[in-house]
Amino acid sequence: MITKDITIGELLKQAPDVAPVLLSAGMHCLGCPASQAESIEDAAMVHGLDVDELMKEINDFLEKNKA
């Protein structure tokens, strides 16, 4: 389970397939250096997103797509 304090960079290292979930939420700067060190919680706040809803989407996606 992914938590909201993980950085975007670490999330993408652990689960690169989750990128479309972040992109569809409006996080289009996944490759930007600043975003790599930003937590999901901070990124959600900057983008005006509900972090709990985003975490649910991320974890649901990862659960459905695990090997």
Side-chain angles (χ1 to χ4, degrees):
M1 177 179 221
I2 299 296
T3 60
K4 59 187 170 186
D5 61 335
I6 190 171
T7 64
I8 291 175
E10 188 59 35
L11 173 61
L12 292 174
K13 272 190 217 170
Q14 288 182 24
D17 293 346
V18 80
V21 175
L22 300 175
L23 291 169
S24 70
M27 295 182 179
H28 298 283
C29 295
L30 299 181
C32 299
S35 73
Q36 296 298 300
E38 189 172 47
S39 71
I40 293 177
E41 183 173 34
D42 289 341
M45 184 177 60
V46 167
H47 288 88
L49 302 171
D50 179 328
V51 69
D52 294 323
E53 181 59 34
L54 180 60
M55 293 310 305
K56 181 178 180 336
E57 289 179 36
I58 290 169
N59 283 308
D60 286 352
F61 174 85
L62 293 174
E63 182 64 28
K64 289 177 188 171
N65 295 288
K66 68 181 177 183

